[in-house]
Amino acid sequence: MNTLDSHNLNQRNVLTIYAHADDEVLPAAGTLSLMSKAGWNIRCLILTDGNLSSSAVKGKRHQEAEAAGKIIGASYDFYALEECNFSTQAVIKVTEEAIKHCLPDIIITHAPQPEQFGHRDHEVCAIAVSNVATRKNIPLWYSAPPVFLRGFEPNFFVDITSVIEEKIAAIGCYESEQEKAFMQLDAILVLSIFWARELGQKDGYFEAFQISRHCVDASFFSALAHLKNPVLSSR
């Protein structure tokens, strides 16, 4: 695991915590790219080392992640929890350690889903990260599952039309996972269009989130008032 940089008090930080490398770009590459362009420090924490990856090359998924990070403006930290066998307590420990170093303004992670609808690792990650974020009163966003949207109720949408090419390129960095149906270009675009239609938008591409908890101060509204082209929508 790489050591997280010390906190820059003049820069806002977003920490994403996902079970596997590629989980971060499928639902949120566009949003992370926009945040990076706006000056946010983007740290992506990956819990597992990809030992059950489609690639036979050890460490391939991490190499792919770092390539994706160059596109969306994110840096990565990798752990080596055992896929399909790590506990909520292990993730709680990792999350608390990361928070001490990163001091995130926002945490983004998997949306909680019953195991029959999603990946076991995603569910364990979501439960553990939610526990820590709630106890430490850190704003928490859940990103959309790539498949099986049952139980996911988005209330926050980000227009990623201006960075859709970056999202496609970042996902494309995961060559070892390209055989998966939801990694295909048509699936990426269809889901992004679907979220636009959910908002009644005839054009454009969006990413969807469910905000579990978020607090803002007066400066938030001041910043919104000065935006010429807001990219965030809530519903």
Side-chain angles (χ1 to χ4, degrees):
M1 195 268 300
N2 297 325
T3 302
L4 293 168
D5 296 334
S6 59
H7 184 50
N8 182 344
L9 296 178
N10 296 317
Q11 186 176 45
R12 301 188 73 185
N13 296 324
V14 58
L15 173 65
T16 78
I17 303 176
Y18 286 97
H20 318 99
D22 79 11
D23 289 339
E24 80 290 0
V25 294
L26 280 165
T31 299
L32 297 177
S33 178
L34 290 170
M35 285 178 156
S36 176
K37 292 177 188 296
W40 285 66
N41 177 44
I42 312 298
R43 303 293 299 200
C44 295
L45 190 157
I46 306 299
L47 296 175
T48 63
D49 62 5
N51 62 300
L52 298 182
S53 172
S54 302
S55 173
V57 180
K58 185 175 177 60
K60 177 69 171 176
R61 288 279 283 278
H62 289 179
Q63 295 171 12
E64 293 170 337
E66 290 176 339
K70 292 179 181 179
I71 294 172
I72 63 175
S75 54
Y76 282 73
D77 292 281
F78 303 107
Y79 284 76
L81 301 184
E82 185 180 354
E83 288 187 61
C84 300
N85 197 37
F86 59 75
S87 67
T88 54
Q89 288 303 314
V91 181
I92 285 172
K93 181 178 180 181
V94 166
T95 302
E96 290 179 337
E97 179 181 337
I99 288 171
K100 288 179 182 178
H101 291 283
C102 185
L103 299 179
D105 296 282
I106 294 174
I107 294 176
I108 304 176
T109 192
H110 297 284
Q113 284 190 297
E115 288 186 28
Q116 67 265 35
F117 296 138
H119 196 300
R120 176 264 181 201
D121 288 357
H122 297 181
E123 177 66 7
V124 174
C125 177
I127 291 171
V129 174
S130 298
N131 175 283
V132 179
T134 299
R135 286 190 287 105
K136 295 185 176 296
N137 197 30
I138 299 173
L140 178 63
W141 298 8
Y142 297 130
S143 60
V147 292
F148 300 120
L149 299 174
R150 299 172 184 84
F152 178 67
E153 299 181 359
N155 53 18
F156 194 69
F157 299 81
V158 180
D159 184 345
I160 63 164
T161 307
S162 65
V163 292
I164 188 62
E165 295 299 330
E166 280 108 324
K167 179 183 177 83
I168 293 169
I171 294 174
C173 290
Y174 288 98
E175 296 178 357
S176 64
E177 303 299 296
Q178 288 303 308
E179 294 303 315
K180 295 180 178 178
F182 51 82
M183 298 287 285
Q184 303 302 308
L185 177 61
D186 60 344
I188 297 165
L189 296 179
V190 165
L191 187 56
S192 299
I193 293 171
F194 172 79
W195 295 127
R197 298 297 186 270
E198 280 284 288
L199 287 171
Q201 301 289 325
K202 294 181 179 180
D203 301 301
Y205 302 96
F206 280 73
E207 289 175 341
F209 300 87
Q210 182 178 341
I211 296 184
S212 172
R213 54 192 295 111
H214 199 136
C215 56
V216 297
D217 57 21
S219 64
F220 174 85
F221 300 100
S222 177
L224 280 182
H226 290 86
L227 281 179
K228 294 183 179 180
N229 298 300
V231 297
L232 306 180
S233 301
S234 61
R235 188 184 68 173

